[in-house]
Amino acid sequence: MMGVTHALMGGLLGASSAVFTLEYFLAAVIAGYLGGLFPDLDLAFNHRQTLHFPVGYTVLSVAAVATAVFTAEKGLIILSYFILSAAVHSWIDILGGGLEEKPWEGTTDKGVYSHSLDRWFPPLQVIRYDGAPEDFLLTLGLGTALFPLLAGYPVAQKIVVASIAVGGLYSLVRKKLLDVRDFLLKAFNSLIDES
Ligand SMILES: [Zn+2]
């Protein structure tokens, strides 16, 4: 699933804080949005391992939510949305494609890794791969649901629209990205050979 799909999902999770209070609504939406994005920052490292902790974040979010409810500490409540959203991201990746260069081929058993259990869960491929048409539809649906909830926060609404646009663009070029990378690598290598 795309980072923006996770981010919008997290944003909606944050928006659910309105059920309790509107006091820190926007902060909770932002925390949820960022928490949804956060695990995928490990793309540059061991993707789905370095910052993906399905069990770890779940345990941490239970502790954070319990402490937040007990202390009613505003900062902790907002932080809880961040951790909760990162936990949802880490689990829900299981519905997407596997950890492989061309996830639409579905040749790997590596979907979600749990550090505490030291094992991979296989990908279910309900969303076949990140940037698949169904992934974009999910982004669009989540964004459409979140947008009206952010009435009165025009900058946040613009971020939602921008997220949908990024998702749309990524979906359009997703399968061509590997060709572009190979083309650039070839060009780069031939430049080095010539010099
Ligand atoms: Zn992920």
Side-chain angles (χ1 to χ4, degrees), residues 6 40 52 89 93:
H6 287 297
D40 277 350
H52 284 63
H89 174 145
D93 266 348

Side-chain angles (χ1 to χ4, degrees), residues 123-195:
L124 299 178
Q125 290 202 288
V126 177
I127 307 284
R128 290 166 301 155
Y129 57 92
D130 57 298
E134 61 271 27
D135 193 4
F136 175 64
L137 280 180
L138 186 57
T139 301
L140 187 63
L142 291 165
T144 308
L146 184 57
F147 187 88
L149 300 177
L150 294 170
Y153 303 104
V155 176
Q157 282 187 321
K158 276 181 193 153
I159 292 172
V160 170
V161 173
S163 303
I164 296 172
V166 166
L169 274 176
Y170 182 79
S171 294
L172 280 176
V173 300
R174 173 62 177 101
K175 286 192 169 177
K176 295 177 193 90
L177 279 180
L178 293 175
D179 295 339
V180 173
R181 185 202 61 185
D182 291 345
F183 173 79
L184 289 175
L185 273 178
K186 234 182 239 174
F188 183 68
N189 284 336
S190 62
L191 265 179
I192 288 179
D193 287 346
E194 274 170 34
S195 59

Side-chain angles (χ1 to χ4, degrees), residues 1-3 6 36-37 39-42 47-48 52 89-90 93:
M1 251 172 268
M2 296 184 283
H6 287 297
L37 267 185
D40 277 350
L41 294 182
D42 68 9
H47 184 39
R48 294 208 188 160
H52 284 63
H89 174 145
S90 301
D93 266 348

Side-chain angles (χ1 to χ4, degrees), residues 58-82:
T58 304
V59 172
L60 203 61
S61 53
V62 169
V65 170
T67 318
V69 167
F70 188 68
T71 60
E73 179 62 48
K74 195 173 153 187
L76 202 56
I77 296 171
I78 292 163
L79 181 67
S80 298
Y81 281 101
F82 181 93

